[in-house]
Amino acid sequence: MSPAFGAMEVEHYSKGVLLEPFVHQVGGHSCVLRFNDETICKPLIQREHQFYETLPAEMRKFTPQYEGVVSVSFEEDEDGNLCLIAYPLIGDRDNLESLDNSDCEPKNKLLRWSNKKTVLLENEKLTKEWVRQHRKEEKMKSHKLEEEFEWLKKSEVLYYSVEKKGNVSSQFKHHNPWSMKCHQQQLQRMKENAKHRNQYKFILLENLTSRYEVPCVLDLKMGTRQHGDDASEEKKANQIRKCQQSTSAVIGVRVCGMQVYQPGTGQLMFMNKYHGRKLSVQGFKEALYQYFHNGKYLRRELFEPVLKKLTELKSVLEKQESYRFYSSSLLIIYDGKELQQVAVDSDPEDLEGLSEESSDESAGAYAYKPTASSVDVRMIDFAHTTCRYYGEDSVVHEGQDTGYVFGLQNLIAIIKEIRDESSE
């Protein structure tokens, strides 16, 4: 049984867990789903699975905790809504194609597309006319999804006003365009394959945003090279072009996605990977500045914790012999909730550590006292990772991943520049 479950959850889990969009996904093309508050899941890719199961001990603090594998089926509820349901994995863990619906207890009144050519609800056979209409509607939904995706690519930076009185974190669910796009595409892919296969393996990973009230997330694509050793010539050329046309080739890092809550303006800001690819080195620096700015002032108290973690990660990776983390990302996460307010005429001891913005007229009778902010820095996405311990790989690399380390060096330098310039 996966570590993601306590004893009280096992019985419920055996009947299936409805997977929901993970609302804090800001980059990547693989669908990430919410399993529970502390756990997310994503489609199992053998190479990434192997990475998590053979992860060097010194890297564990810089990656999400691996929590096991589940079986996921594509189903439809009694109202015709498409959904993904996770069940305990039973049977051969090493054979992706060995699973069928008999491995899992079906959820009541949920339909299995692979077992029926026409959909039945409570044994009531639907008319051919309804089936034709249903297919027509699904085709229209597919076209609408493509149109929304094209719109999303054009709308590369989005701002949404939020209701400050409500739960800000819950409003990500309604506004994060990237997570919804990935979820819809995953459903569409699985639906198209439903006649041939209705059982998939997903890996369970730690939800890195769970301890933050309002997670602000920066997704950075790391390294000067993105294609794996097994990439086709077409894929290789495409990835090389993306690197050459972005900051990846120059500084070894580019923005892949971002979400920031700005309590000063009451807005959620989203930036997607298409915008990140277009940024110059100066534009990349400005995007980082924007990530650390809350709409009123720069969150300077975050710089030292972030720099400390990045420097430690760099030291760890410099010692990793033969690893190559092609196309992997680095997440930086902090809490965007309002900082503690302290009255300007408070006792001097209460004002220790106040930022320079305390004298800002916009602060009125209050100044913001930075609390001991927790930040997280983690590596994610290892579908194209390789090292000499992966016996099936035809290419074996020597030494450290210089492209990734180069990106970390430049990231550290740019954050230091922002820190130093903002304190002048």
Side-chain angles (χ1 to χ4, degrees):
M1 181 58 63
S2 166
F5 312 102
M8 297 296 291
E9 297 177 280
V10 173
E11 182 178 354
H12 169 71
Y13 173 49
S14 67
K15 297 179 181 178
V17 174
L18 175 65
L19 302 177
E20 300 174 350
F22 177 58
V23 298
H24 300 301
Q25 179 180 1
V26 298
H29 60 271
S30 180
C31 177
V32 179
L33 299 166
R34 176 190 176 277
F35 185 89
N36 58 34
D37 289 343
E38 290 77 35
T39 310
I40 61 169
C41 64
K42 59 185 293 192
L44 184 150
I45 297 173
Q46 199 61 45
R47 184 174 295 273
E48 182 170 43
H49 186 217
Q50 184 175 9
F51 170 81
Y52 279 113
E53 293 207 318
T54 61
L55 180 65
E58 60 270 27
M59 288 188 63
R60 287 175 187 160
K61 67 183 295 184
F62 293 107
T63 59
Q65 181 179 339
Y66 168 67
E67 300 183 352
V69 181
V70 292
S71 175
V72 174
S73 59
F74 169 80
E75 303 176 358
E76 182 174 335
D77 66 16
E78 54 193 290
D79 297 320
N81 299 312
L82 305 179
C83 52
L84 299 175
I85 310 295
Y87 299 97
L89 183 66
I90 300 173
D92 183 3
R93 288 172 55 90
D94 298 321
N95 187 353
L96 286 175
E97 301 295 337
S98 68
L99 298 174
D100 58 32
N101 291 331
S102 62
D103 287 330
C104 304
E105 179 183 346
K107 191 174 179 72
N108 291 338
K109 299 184 180 179
L110 285 173
L111 305 172
R112 306 213 172 266
W113 282 73
S114 62
N115 290 344
K116 296 178 174 65
K117 292 183 178 179
T118 59
V119 180
L120 302 180
L121 292 178
E122 301 290 342
N123 296 324
E124 177 184 352
K125 195 166 186 178
L126 301 174
T127 63
K128 292 183 179 180
E129 180 59 33
W130 187 94
V131 172
R132 281 196 293 268
Q133 182 63 26
H134 181 70
R135 288 174 178 168
K136 182 179 179 181
E137 290 174 357
E138 289 302 316
K139 190 174 183 180
M140 291 174 63
K141 286 180 183 178
S142 178
H143 287 311
K144 184 178 180 182
L145 176 58
E146 292 174 4
E147 291 172 1
E148 289 176 349
F149 185 38
E150 289 302 315
W151 171 82
L152 180 61
K153 285 198 290 187
K154 294 175 184 177
S155 307
E156 296 168 352
V157 181
L158 300 172
Y159 289 86
Y160 295 99
S161 295
V162 299
E163 178 57 55
K164 291 188 178 182
K165 295 180 181 179
N167 185 335
V168 175
S169 184
S170 67
Q171 298 186 54
F172 279 100
K173 181 180 295 185
H174 306 292
H175 294 309
N176 187 333
W178 196 259
S179 68
M180 293 308 300
K181 187 272 300 185
C182 291
H183 184 250
Q184 291 170 340
Q185 286 191 328
Q186 181 70 34
L187 283 173
Q188 189 63 32
R189 284 194 296 267
M190 293 179 77
K191 180 183 176 182
E192 290 170 356
N193 294 329
K195 290 183 179 178
H196 310 288
R197 182 181 175 195
N198 191 39
Q199 208 72 21
Y200 297 79
K201 282 185 178 180
F202 278 50
I203 58 173
L204 296 173
L205 298 171
E206 172 190 4
N207 175 8
L208 300 175
T209 68
S210 63
R211 63 193 178 103
Y212 298 100
E213 196 170 313
V214 187
C216 293
V217 183
L218 177 64
D219 186 326
L220 299 171
K221 185 72 75 173
M222 300 300 297
T224 53
R225 168 181 161 177
Q226 301 301 324
H227 62 278
D229 292 324
D230 58 348
S232 65
E233 288 302 315
E234 181 182 2
K235 179 75 171 179
K236 179 179 176 180
N238 187 42
Q239 294 292 354
I240 291 174
R241 176 181 55 79
K242 289 177 183 177
C243 288
Q244 291 175 339
Q245 294 177 353
S246 69
T247 55
S248 292
V250 184
I251 58 174
V253 55
R254 70 173 184 257
V255 174
C256 191
M258 183 195 305
Q259 74 175 25
V260 182
Y261 174 57
Q262 300 176 332
T265 59
Q267 288 185 320
L268 293 173
M269 187 274 282
F270 298 95
M271 181 184 295
N272 68 25
K273 66 180 183 181
Y274 303 107
H275 185 76
R277 288 178 193 165
K278 296 177 182 178
L279 296 175
S280 62
V281 174
Q282 180 60 30
F284 176 84
K285 180 178 177 180
E286 291 169 358
L288 281 185
Y289 181 93
Q290 193 172 19
Y291 174 67
F292 289 110
H293 203 285
N294 74 351
K296 282 186 178 179
Y297 54 84
L298 201 61
R299 294 283 301 272
R300 293 197 192 98
E301 81 281 5
L302 299 171
F303 289 141
E304 294 311 318
V306 169
L307 288 170
K308 181 180 179 181
K309 288 179 182 288
L310 290 174
T311 302
E312 186 179 350
L313 173 61
K314 175 175 166 291
S315 177
V316 169
L317 293 187
E318 285 173 338
K319 300 171 185 174
Q320 299 309 310
E321 175 66 26
S322 129
Y323 269 99
R324 294 296 180 272
F325 303 100
Y326 299 134
S327 199
S328 73
S329 285
L330 186 69
L331 293 186
I332 301 177
I333 310 170
Y334 70 87
D335 205 323
K337 67 181 179 181
E338 286 271 19
L339 297 179
Q340 178 184 352
Q341 285 186 325
V342 180
V344 171
D345 58 357
S346 295
D347 186 277
E349 292 184 3
D350 295 331
L351 296 177
E352 289 181 7
L354 281 174
S355 63
E356 293 178 8
E357 285 73 15
S358 57
S359 60
D360 191 308
E361 293 181 2
S362 64
Y366 288 88
Y368 285 94
K369 179 180 180 180
T371 55
S373 299
S374 64
V375 297
D376 212 348
V377 172
R378 305 285 188 107
M379 301 172 68
I380 61 168
D381 297 339
F382 303 101
H384 302 286
T385 291
T386 181
C387 79
R388 63 173 51 173
Y389 308 113
Y390 298 1
E392 72 278 7
D393 289 355
S394 57
V395 180
V396 176
H397 300 273
E398 299 293 334
Q400 64 184 237
D401 188 337
T402 55
Y404 199 114
V405 172
F406 177 66
L408 281 176
Q409 290 172 336
N410 286 307
L411 179 60
I412 290 169
I414 292 172
I415 293 176
K416 285 182 176 179
E417 284 180 14
I418 297 172
R419 178 200 62 188
D420 296 342
E421 290 169 2
S422 66
S423 62
E424 293 175 356

